[in-house]
Protein backbone atom coordinates (compact mmCIF):
# COMPACT_ATOMS: atom_id res chain seq x y z
CA UNK A 1 0.00 0.00 0.00
CA UNK A 2 1.38 3.42 -0.97
CA UNK A 3 0.40 6.34 1.19
CA UNK A 4 0.50 9.61 -0.73
CA UNK A 5 2.53 12.46 0.67
CA UNK A 6 0.64 15.67 1.34
CA UNK A 7 2.88 18.72 1.00
CA UNK A 8 2.78 21.72 3.34
CA UNK A 9 0.86 24.86 2.37
CA UNK A 10 2.10 26.49 -0.82
CA UNK A 11 2.67 30.22 -1.25
CA UNK A 12 2.28 29.90 -5.00
CA UNK A 13 -0.15 32.67 -6.06
CA UNK A 14 -1.99 30.12 -8.20
CA UNK A 15 -2.85 28.24 -4.99
CA UNK A 16 -4.66 31.35 -3.71
CA UNK A 17 -2.64 31.45 -0.49
CA UNK A 18 -1.65 35.03 0.32
CA UNK A 19 -0.28 36.72 3.47
CA UNK A 20 -2.92 36.65 6.18
CA UNK A 21 -5.12 39.69 6.68
CA UNK A 22 -6.94 40.22 9.96
CA UNK A 23 -9.36 42.75 11.32
CA UNK A 24 -7.83 45.79 13.04
CA UNK A 25 -10.25 46.77 15.77
CA UNK A 26 -10.54 50.31 17.12
CA UNK A 27 -13.16 52.43 18.89
CA UNK A 28 -16.12 53.51 16.77
CA UNK A 29 -15.41 50.77 14.20
CA UNK A 30 -18.71 49.72 12.64
CA UNK A 31 -18.87 45.96 12.32
CA UNK A 32 -20.48 44.99 9.03
CA UNK A 33 -21.17 41.56 7.60
CA UNK A 34 -18.13 41.93 5.35
CA UNK A 35 -15.79 42.77 8.24
CA UNK A 36 -17.18 39.95 10.33
CA UNK A 37 -16.46 37.62 7.41
CA UNK A 38 -12.85 38.87 7.27
CA UNK A 39 -12.36 38.10 10.96
CA UNK A 40 -13.89 34.64 10.58
CA UNK A 41 -11.86 33.84 7.46
CA UNK A 42 -8.63 34.87 9.19
CA UNK A 43 -9.11 32.42 12.05
CA UNK A 44 -10.15 29.67 9.69
CA UNK A 45 -7.15 30.18 7.39
CA UNK A 46 -4.73 30.14 10.32
CA UNK A 47 -6.21 26.85 11.48
CA UNK A 48 -5.99 25.33 8.01
CA UNK A 49 -2.37 26.40 7.54
CA UNK A 50 -1.44 24.96 10.94
CA UNK A 51 -3.05 21.62 10.12
CA UNK A 52 -1.58 21.42 6.62
CA UNK A 53 1.91 22.21 7.90
CA UNK A 54 2.00 19.54 10.60
CA UNK A 55 -0.59 16.87 9.81
CA UNK A 56 -1.81 14.66 7.03
CA UNK A 57 -5.49 14.13 6.24
CA UNK A 58 -7.42 11.02 7.02
CA UNK A 59 -9.99 9.35 9.20
CA UNK A 60 -10.00 10.13 12.91
CA UNK A 61 -12.35 7.30 13.83
CA UNK A 62 -15.42 5.46 12.58
CA UNK A 63 -16.72 5.75 9.01
CA UNK A 64 -17.00 2.00 8.68
CA UNK A 65 -18.55 0.56 5.52
CA UNK A 66 -20.81 -2.50 5.34
CA UNK A 67 -23.05 -4.05 2.62
CA UNK A 68 -26.78 -3.89 3.28
CA UNK A 69 -29.93 -5.05 1.45
CA UNK A 70 -31.66 -2.55 -0.80
CA UNK A 71 -33.69 -0.13 1.35
CA UNK A 72 -37.48 -0.40 1.09
CA UNK A 73 -39.16 1.94 -1.34
CA UNK A 74 -36.34 2.25 -3.90
CA UNK A 75 -37.11 1.85 -7.58
CA UNK A 76 -36.90 -1.65 -9.01
CA UNK A 77 -33.83 -0.82 -11.13
CA UNK A 78 -31.88 0.01 -7.97
CA UNK A 79 -32.94 -3.06 -6.01
CA UNK A 80 -29.57 -4.75 -6.47
CA UNK A 81 -27.06 -6.00 -3.92
CA UNK A 82 -24.76 -2.98 -4.30
CA UNK A 83 -26.04 -0.93 -1.39
CA UNK A 84 -23.78 -0.04 1.53
CA UNK A 85 -24.14 1.80 4.81
CA UNK A 86 -21.48 4.24 6.00
CA UNK A 87 -21.21 4.42 9.75
CA UNK A 88 -20.87 7.66 11.76
CA UNK A 89 -17.38 9.02 12.24
CA UNK A 90 -14.99 11.93 11.82
CA UNK A 91 -12.35 12.71 9.21
CA UNK A 92 -10.15 15.72 8.44
CA UNK A 93 -9.25 16.75 4.91
CA UNK A 94 -5.89 18.05 3.69
CA UNK A 95 -6.77 21.67 4.52
CA UNK A 96 -7.77 20.81 8.07
CA UNK A 97 -11.53 20.97 7.51
CA UNK A 98 -13.41 18.56 9.80
CA UNK A 99 -15.87 16.14 8.20
CA UNK A 100 -18.45 14.95 10.71
CA UNK A 101 -20.84 12.15 9.76
CA UNK A 102 -23.26 12.07 12.68
CA UNK A 103 -25.61 9.32 11.52
CA UNK A 104 -25.49 6.27 9.21
CA UNK A 105 -25.57 7.10 5.49
CA UNK A 106 -27.04 4.77 2.88
CA UNK A 107 -25.20 4.80 -0.44
CA UNK A 108 -25.75 3.03 -3.77
CA UNK A 109 -22.54 1.88 -5.47
CA UNK A 110 -22.71 2.09 -9.24
CA UNK A 111 -21.76 -1.25 -10.80
CA UNK A 112 -20.10 -1.30 -14.25
CA UNK A 113 -22.19 -2.48 -17.17
CA UNK A 114 -22.04 -6.21 -17.82
CA UNK A 115 -20.64 -5.60 -21.31
CA UNK A 116 -17.54 -3.76 -20.00
CA UNK A 117 -14.38 -5.85 -20.15
CA UNK A 118 -11.77 -5.26 -17.46
CA UNK A 119 -13.95 -2.74 -15.62
CA UNK A 120 -12.03 0.01 -13.78
CA UNK A 121 -11.94 -0.10 -9.97
CA UNK A 122 -14.31 1.94 -7.82
CA UNK A 123 -13.15 4.36 -5.12
CA UNK A 124 -15.62 5.57 -2.51
CA UNK A 125 -14.68 8.83 -0.78
CA UNK A 126 -16.00 11.58 1.46
CA UNK A 127 -15.13 15.26 1.04
CA UNK A 128 -15.85 18.53 2.84
CA UNK A 129 -18.36 20.98 1.34
CA UNK A 130 -18.07 24.65 2.23
CA UNK A 131 -21.54 26.14 2.90
CA UNK A 132 -20.37 29.35 1.20
CA UNK A 133 -20.04 27.45 -2.07
CA UNK A 134 -23.52 25.92 -1.91
CA UNK A 135 -26.73 27.53 -3.14
CA UNK A 136 -28.89 27.80 -0.06
CA UNK A 137 -31.29 30.15 1.64
CA UNK A 138 -29.88 33.16 3.54
CA UNK A 139 -32.87 33.34 5.88
CA UNK A 140 -30.95 31.90 8.84
CA UNK A 141 -27.83 33.32 10.48
CA UNK A 142 -26.58 29.81 11.24
CA UNK A 143 -25.50 27.37 8.51
CA UNK A 144 -24.40 23.79 8.74
CA UNK A 145 -21.15 22.48 7.28
CA UNK A 146 -21.77 19.63 4.86
CA UNK A 147 -19.91 16.74 3.32
CA UNK A 148 -20.23 14.78 0.12
CA UNK A 149 -19.97 11.03 -0.42
CA UNK A 150 -19.31 9.90 -3.97
CA UNK A 151 -17.66 7.29 -6.17
CA UNK A 152 -15.13 7.51 -8.99
CA UNK A 153 -12.74 5.33 -10.97
CA UNK A 154 -9.47 7.07 -9.99
CA UNK A 155 -7.80 7.26 -6.56
CA UNK A 156 -8.96 10.12 -4.32
CA UNK A 157 -6.83 13.26 -4.26
CA UNK A 158 -6.85 16.73 -2.76
CA UNK A 159 -9.63 17.02 -0.21
CA UNK A 160 -11.09 13.54 -0.83
CA UNK A 161 -10.81 10.97 1.98
CA UNK A 162 -10.99 7.36 0.83
CA UNK A 163 -13.52 5.13 2.58
CA UNK A 164 -13.07 1.95 0.54
CA UNK A 165 -12.30 0.64 -2.92
CA UNK A 166 -13.39 -2.32 -5.05
CA UNK A 167 -12.05 -4.40 -7.93
CA UNK A 168 -14.86 -5.52 -10.23
CA UNK A 169 -15.30 -8.74 -12.10
CA UNK A 170 -16.98 -8.57 -15.48
CA UNK A 171 -20.74 -8.69 -15.06
CA UNK A 172 -20.63 -7.97 -11.32
CA UNK A 173 -24.01 -7.26 -9.74
CA UNK A 174 -23.30 -7.20 -6.01
CA UNK A 175 -20.98 -5.91 -3.32
CA UNK A 176 -20.04 -8.15 -0.40
CA UNK A 177 -17.86 -7.99 2.69
CA UNK A 178 -14.46 -9.69 2.29
CA UNK A 179 -13.94 -13.09 3.85
CA UNK A 180 -10.33 -12.04 4.52
CA UNK A 181 -9.94 -8.31 5.22
CA UNK A 182 -6.21 -8.52 4.35
CA UNK A 183 -6.87 -10.14 0.97
CA UNK A 184 -10.17 -8.90 -0.48
CA UNK A 185 -11.21 -10.41 -3.79
CA UNK A 186 -13.20 -8.98 -6.69
CA UNK A 187 -16.51 -7.32 -5.74
CA UNK A 188 -15.45 -7.24 -2.09
CA UNK A 189 -14.97 -4.08 -0.03
CA UNK A 190 -11.30 -3.21 0.34
CA UNK A 191 -10.51 -1.04 3.40
CA UNK A 192 -6.72 -1.44 3.39
CA UNK A 193 -5.88 1.93 1.80
CA UNK A 194 -7.79 4.14 4.22
CA UNK A 195 -5.58 6.90 5.65
CA UNK A 196 -5.51 7.83 9.31
CA UNK A 197 -5.25 11.48 10.35
CA UNK A 198 -1.83 11.92 11.95
CA UNK A 199 1.35 13.98 11.98
CA UNK A 200 2.98 13.94 8.58
CA UNK A 201 6.73 13.36 8.12
CA UNK A 202 9.18 16.15 7.47
CA UNK A 203 9.73 14.88 3.96
CA UNK A 204 9.49 11.99 1.56
CA UNK A 205 12.47 10.28 -0.02
CA UNK A 206 12.17 8.92 -3.56
CA UNK A 207 14.45 6.30 -5.09
CA UNK A 208 15.00 5.05 -8.62
CA UNK A 209 16.93 1.91 -9.51
CA UNK A 210 18.71 1.50 -12.83
CA UNK A 211 19.22 -1.76 -14.73
CA UNK A 212 18.42 -3.81 -11.61
CA UNK A 213 16.94 -7.29 -11.12
CA UNK A 214 13.33 -7.82 -9.91
CA UNK A 215 14.61 -9.11 -6.56
CA UNK A 216 16.48 -5.83 -6.06
CA UNK A 217 13.26 -3.91 -6.62
CA UNK A 218 11.47 -6.01 -3.99
CA UNK A 219 14.27 -5.38 -1.49
CA UNK A 220 14.02 -1.63 -2.02
CA UNK A 221 10.25 -1.77 -1.48
CA UNK A 222 10.88 -3.59 1.81
CA UNK A 223 13.32 -0.89 2.90
CA UNK A 224 10.90 1.91 2.00
CA UNK A 225 8.13 0.28 4.02
CA UNK A 226 10.41 0.08 7.05
CA UNK A 227 11.13 3.83 7.05
CA UNK A 228 7.79 4.85 8.56
CA UNK A 229 8.21 2.32 11.38
CA UNK A 230 11.88 2.85 12.23
CA UNK A 231 12.14 6.59 11.50
CA UNK A 232 8.68 8.23 11.28
CA UNK A 233 10.19 11.68 10.67
CA UNK A 234 10.86 10.57 7.10
CA UNK A 235 8.55 8.79 4.67
CA UNK A 236 9.74 6.41 1.96
CA UNK A 237 7.87 6.32 -1.34
CA UNK A 238 7.26 2.64 -2.12
CA UNK A 239 6.75 3.48 -5.80
CA UNK A 240 10.35 2.74 -6.72
CA UNK A 241 11.33 4.21 -10.07
CA UNK A 242 12.76 1.76 -12.60
CA UNK A 243 14.97 3.39 -15.20
CA UNK A 244 17.07 2.10 -18.04
CA UNK A 245 20.47 3.40 -19.04
CA UNK A 246 19.86 2.70 -22.70
CA UNK A 247 20.93 5.33 -25.14
CA UNK A 248 18.50 8.17 -25.57
CA UNK A 249 17.97 11.86 -25.12
CA UNK A 250 20.10 13.39 -22.34
CA UNK A 251 17.42 15.96 -21.57
CA UNK A 252 14.70 13.31 -21.29
CA UNK A 253 16.83 11.10 -19.06
CA UNK A 254 17.74 14.01 -16.79
CA UNK A 255 14.06 14.97 -16.50
CA UNK A 256 13.31 11.40 -15.41
CA UNK A 257 15.93 11.25 -12.67
CA UNK A 258 15.95 14.77 -11.22
CA UNK A 259 12.80 14.13 -9.14
CA UNK A 260 14.52 11.30 -7.26
CA UNK A 261 16.66 11.87 -4.17
CA UNK A 262 18.74 8.75 -4.76
CA UNK A 263 19.68 6.65 -7.79
CA UNK A 264 20.77 3.06 -7.22
CA UNK A 265 23.14 1.39 -9.65
CA UNK A 266 24.33 -2.19 -9.24
CA UNK A 267 27.81 -2.87 -10.60
CA UNK A 268 26.67 -6.44 -11.28
CA UNK A 269 24.16 -5.32 -13.91
CA UNK A 270 25.96 -2.28 -15.33
CA UNK A 271 29.63 -2.52 -16.31
CA UNK A 272 29.94 0.42 -18.67
CA UNK A 273 28.43 3.88 -19.10
CA UNK A 274 28.37 5.94 -22.26
CA UNK A 275 29.80 9.50 -22.15
CA UNK A 276 26.34 11.05 -22.41
CA UNK A 277 25.17 8.92 -19.48
CA UNK A 278 28.15 10.10 -17.42
CA UNK A 279 27.21 13.66 -18.33
CA UNK A 280 23.61 13.17 -17.15
CA UNK A 281 24.66 11.56 -13.89
CA UNK A 282 27.13 14.39 -13.19
CA UNK A 283 24.36 16.94 -13.83
CA UNK A 284 22.13 14.98 -11.45
CA UNK A 285 24.83 15.02 -8.77
CA UNK A 286 25.36 18.76 -9.24
CA UNK A 287 21.66 19.32 -8.56
CA UNK A 288 21.90 17.60 -5.18
CA UNK A 289 21.11 13.98 -6.02
CA UNK A 290 22.94 10.99 -4.54
CA UNK A 291 24.20 8.04 -6.58
CA UNK A 292 24.51 4.75 -4.68
CA UNK A 293 26.73 2.19 -6.42
CA UNK A 294 26.71 -1.28 -4.88
CA UNK A 295 29.42 -3.79 -5.80
CA UNK A 296 30.11 -7.33 -4.51
CA UNK A 297 32.67 -7.67 -1.74
CA UNK A 298 36.32 -8.12 -2.84
CA UNK A 299 35.49 -6.90 -6.35
CA UNK A 300 37.07 -4.04 -8.24
CA UNK A 301 35.07 -0.79 -8.44
CA UNK A 302 33.36 -0.26 -11.82
CA UNK A 303 35.53 1.33 -14.49
CA UNK A 304 33.21 4.32 -14.89
CA UNK A 305 33.73 5.47 -11.29
CA UNK A 306 36.82 7.55 -12.13
CA UNK A 307 34.80 9.41 -14.76
CA UNK A 308 32.13 10.27 -12.20
CA UNK A 309 34.62 11.54 -9.64
CA UNK A 310 36.15 14.96 -9.96
CA UNK A 311 38.73 14.88 -12.77
CA UNK A 312 41.23 16.83 -10.61
CA UNK A 313 42.00 13.69 -8.57
CA UNK A 314 41.88 10.10 -9.72
CA UNK A 315 42.03 8.56 -6.25
CA UNK A 316 39.04 7.08 -4.50
CA UNK A 317 37.52 8.86 -1.50
CA UNK A 318 38.90 8.17 1.99
CA UNK A 319 37.72 4.98 3.60
CA UNK A 320 35.06 4.67 6.31
CA UNK A 321 37.11 3.75 9.33
CA UNK A 322 39.93 6.29 9.03
CA UNK A 323 38.72 9.39 7.27
CA UNK A 324 34.92 9.71 7.37
CA UNK A 325 34.18 12.37 10.01
CA UNK A 326 32.62 11.20 13.24
CA UNK A 327 29.68 13.55 12.72
CA UNK A 328 28.96 12.51 9.11
CA UNK A 329 25.25 11.83 8.54
CA UNK A 330 25.96 8.46 6.94
CA UNK A 331 27.57 7.37 10.16
CA UNK A 332 25.36 8.75 12.90
CA UNK A 333 21.91 9.84 11.75
CA UNK A 334 19.33 8.71 12.51
CA UNK A 335 21.12 5.53 13.67
CA UNK A 336 24.64 5.43 15.11
CA UNK A 337 27.20 3.10 13.53
CA UNK A 338 30.74 2.84 14.90
CA UNK A 339 31.40 0.05 12.40
CA UNK A 340 29.53 -0.92 9.26
CA UNK A 341 27.02 -3.79 9.36
CA UNK A 342 28.02 -7.32 8.42
CA UNK A 343 25.96 -9.22 5.87
CA UNK A 344 26.48 -12.98 5.99
CA UNK A 345 29.50 -12.47 8.29
CA UNK A 346 31.06 -10.29 5.61
CA UNK A 347 31.71 -6.67 6.70
CA UNK A 348 30.68 -3.89 4.35
CA UNK A 349 33.04 -1.25 3.00
CA UNK A 350 31.92 2.26 2.12
CA UNK A 351 33.37 5.28 0.35
CA UNK A 352 31.70 8.64 -0.12
CA UNK A 353 32.54 11.68 -2.18
CA UNK A 354 30.59 14.53 -3.78
CA UNK A 355 27.22 12.77 -3.85
CA UNK A 356 28.55 9.31 -4.77
CA UNK A 357 28.25 6.48 -2.24
CA UNK A 358 30.27 3.40 -3.19
CA UNK A 359 29.21 0.38 -1.16
CA UNK A 360 31.20 -2.87 -1.36
CA UNK A 361 28.99 -5.69 -0.12
CA UNK A 362 25.42 -6.77 -0.72
CA UNK A 363 23.58 -4.57 1.76
CA UNK A 364 20.41 -4.43 -0.34
CA UNK A 365 19.98 -8.22 -0.17
CA UNK A 366 19.36 -7.97 3.58
CA UNK A 367 16.52 -5.42 3.38
CA UNK A 368 13.88 -8.00 2.45
CA UNK A 369 13.26 -11.73 2.66
CA UNK A 370 16.05 -13.85 1.19
CA UNK A 371 15.26 -16.98 -0.82
CA UNK A 372 16.22 -19.39 1.96
CA UNK A 373 14.69 -17.25 4.75
CA UNK A 374 17.98 -17.60 6.64
CA UNK A 375 18.68 -13.99 7.59
CA UNK A 376 18.18 -13.26 11.27
CA UNK A 377 15.92 -10.48 12.47
CA UNK A 378 18.97 -8.65 13.82
CA UNK A 379 20.72 -8.74 10.41
CA UNK A 380 17.64 -7.45 8.60
CA UNK A 381 17.00 -4.69 11.12
CA UNK A 382 20.64 -3.57 11.19
CA UNK A 383 20.78 -3.50 7.38
CA UNK A 384 17.53 -1.53 7.22
CA UNK A 385 18.77 0.99 9.78
CA UNK A 386 21.91 1.64 7.77
CA UNK A 387 19.81 1.82 4.61
CA UNK A 388 17.67 4.49 6.29
CA UNK A 389 20.86 6.41 7.11
CA UNK A 390 21.64 6.43 3.38
CA UNK A 391 18.08 7.49 2.50
CA UNK A 392 18.09 10.29 5.07
CA UNK A 393 21.46 11.53 3.82
CA UNK A 394 20.20 11.56 0.21
CA UNK A 395 17.00 13.41 1.16
CA UNK A 396 18.89 15.96 3.27
CA UNK A 397 21.51 16.60 0.58
CA UNK A 398 18.85 17.17 -2.06
CA UNK A 399 16.89 19.47 0.27
CA UNK A 400 19.87 21.66 1.17
CA UNK A 401 20.99 21.94 -2.45
CA UNK A 402 17.50 23.02 -3.48
CA UNK A 403 17.56 25.77 -0.86
CA UNK A 404 20.75 27.10 -2.45
CA UNK A 405 19.11 27.20 -5.88
Amino acid sequence: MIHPFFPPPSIDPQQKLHPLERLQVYDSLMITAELWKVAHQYLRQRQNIHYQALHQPGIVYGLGVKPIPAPPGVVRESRSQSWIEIQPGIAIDWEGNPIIVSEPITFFIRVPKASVENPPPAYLFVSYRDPEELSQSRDSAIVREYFRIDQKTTPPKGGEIELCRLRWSQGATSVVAPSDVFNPQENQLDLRSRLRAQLHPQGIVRVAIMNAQPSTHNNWVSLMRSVAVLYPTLSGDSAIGRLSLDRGSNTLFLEQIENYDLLYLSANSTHHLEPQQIECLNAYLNRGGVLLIETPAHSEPPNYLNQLFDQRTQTYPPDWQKQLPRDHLLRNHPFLFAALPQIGQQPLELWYREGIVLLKGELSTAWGLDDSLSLSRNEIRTAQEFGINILHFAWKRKQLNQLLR
Side-chain angles (χ1 to χ4, degrees):
M1 178 177 60
I2 301 173
H3 285 205
F5 177 74
F6 297 92
S10 170
I11 57 174
D12 186 343
Q14 296 182 354
Q15 302 296 324
K16 300 181 181 180
L17 180 60
H18 305 286
L20 296 179
E21 296 179 348
R22 65 182 184 183
L23 188 63
Q24 184 175 349
V25 180
Y26 55 87
D27 291 340
S28 76
L29 175 66
M30 180 176 293
I31 299 297
T32 63
E34 188 64 28
L35 290 180
W36 187 271
K37 186 176 180 180
V38 169
H40 176 74
Q41 182 64 22
Y42 166 76
L43 295 175
R44 179 178 175 184
Q45 193 172 7
R46 278 183 67 105
Q47 174 188 325
N48 288 358
I49 291 175
H50 174 84
Y51 189 90
Q52 251 185 298
L54 300 178
H55 301 80
Q56 74 177 32
I59 296 171
V60 178
Y61 69 86
L63 298 179
V65 182
K66 67 175 183 180
I68 60 172
V74 300
V75 296
R76 178 174 300 179
E77 290 76 8
S78 299
R79 296 191 65 83
S80 66
Q81 299 301 315
S82 57
W83 288 86
I84 60 171
E85 184 178 85
I86 300 165
Q87 304 302 309
I90 295 178
I92 302 179
D93 72 6
W94 72 293
E95 290 186 334
N97 297 312
I99 301 171
I100 302 176
V101 179
S102 58
E103 57 187 21
I105 304 294
T106 301
F107 185 83
F108 175 70
I109 295 184
R110 302 182 297 276
V111 179
K113 295 181 180 179
S115 59
V116 176
E117 295 184 4
N118 300 319
Y123 298 87
L124 186 67
F125 65 91
V126 60
S127 58
Y128 173 81
R129 299 301 303 275
D130 190 338
E132 297 291 333
E133 299 175 356
L134 302 176
S135 299
Q136 55 185 349
S137 173
R138 301 289 182 177
D139 296 338
S140 174
I142 299 176
V143 295
R144 181 177 181 179
E145 294 190 326
Y146 291 91
F147 58 86
R148 176 187 179 188
I149 296 175
D150 207 346
Q151 167 190 345
K152 62 179 187 176
T153 58
T154 56
K157 59 182 180 180
E160 300 166 348
I161 306 298
E162 179 174 335
L163 298 176
C164 69
R165 62 179 63 178
L166 295 104
R167 292 182 297 113
W168 299 112
S169 62
Q170 185 175 358
T173 59
S174 63
V175 172
V176 297
S179 54
D180 180 359
V181 293
F182 294 110
N183 187 31
Q185 302 301 308
E186 292 179 335
N187 312 323
Q188 295 182 348
L189 298 175
D190 184 353
L191 308 181
R192 296 175 297 173
S193 299
R194 288 158 56 105
L195 286 179
R196 300 288 298 186
Q198 57 186 326
L199 289 173
H200 73 54
Q202 291 182 3
I204 185 170
V205 59
R206 295 181 173 89
V207 171
I209 60 178
M210 297 182 287
N211 293 12
Q213 301 297 323
S215 58
T216 302
H217 177 269
N218 295 336
N219 289 331
W220 272 103
V221 172
S222 297
L223 175 65
M224 292 307 222
R225 289 174 175 170
S226 72
V227 175
V229 177
L230 300 179
Y231 187 58
T233 302
L234 193 65
S235 177
D237 189 348
S238 298
I240 307 296
R242 305 191 68 172
L243 305 177
S244 173
L245 284 174
D246 296 336
R247 296 183 181 182
S249 167
N250 287 17
T251 303
L252 178 60
F253 182 70
L254 189 57
E255 289 177 353
Q256 290 178 326
I257 65 177
E258 66 179 354
N259 292 325
Y260 294 102
D261 303 282
L262 182 144
L263 297 182
Y264 170 83
L265 189 59
S266 172
N268 273 340
S269 57
T270 302
H271 307 282
H272 177 72
L273 293 178
E274 299 292 337
Q276 69 269 22
Q277 296 168 345
I278 295 290
E279 181 181 346
C280 287
L281 291 177
N282 272 319
Y284 169 76
L285 294 171
N286 291 337
R287 297 185 183 189
V290 168
L291 179 64
L292 173 62
I293 302 174
E294 189 177 49
T295 69
H298 306 300
S299 66
E300 291 297 323
N303 56 12
Y304 52 79
L305 197 55
N306 277 336
Q307 299 172 272
L308 288 170
F309 285 145
D310 191 345
Q311 297 301 318
R312 291 173 297 180
T313 58
Q314 294 295 327
T315 58
Y316 292 118
D319 65 24
W320 170 275
Q321 294 290 346
K322 296 181 180 179
Q323 300 296 335
L324 198 67
R326 297 175 67 91
D327 59 349
H328 199 283
L329 289 183
L330 285 171
R331 185 173 195 166
N332 67 7
H333 195 83
F335 302 104
L336 181 64
F337 284 87
L340 288 174
Q342 294 189 7
I343 307 301
Q345 299 182 348
Q346 182 67 44
L348 300 175
E349 297 179 75
L350 179 140
W351 292 264
Y352 170 75
R353 180 179 170 190
E354 298 177 6
I356 301 175
V357 177
L358 175 62
L359 187 63
K360 296 185 71 174
E362 299 180 337
L363 177 69
S364 62
T365 62
W367 289 335
L369 300 177
D370 59 307
D371 294 336
S372 60
L373 300 179
S374 60
L375 288 173
S376 68
R377 178 183 180 276
N378 183 62
E379 283 183 292
I380 295 175
R381 181 56 54 84
T382 303
Q384 288 180 342
E385 288 179 351
F386 191 70
I388 291 174
N389 276 22
I390 297 175
L391 291 176
H392 174 268
F393 173 77
W395 169 76
K396 193 68 175 180
R397 185 177 190 270
K398 185 73 171 289
Q399 182 192 48
L400 294 180
N401 275 274
Q402 287 178 339
L403 292 175
L404 293 172
R405 293 175 60 197

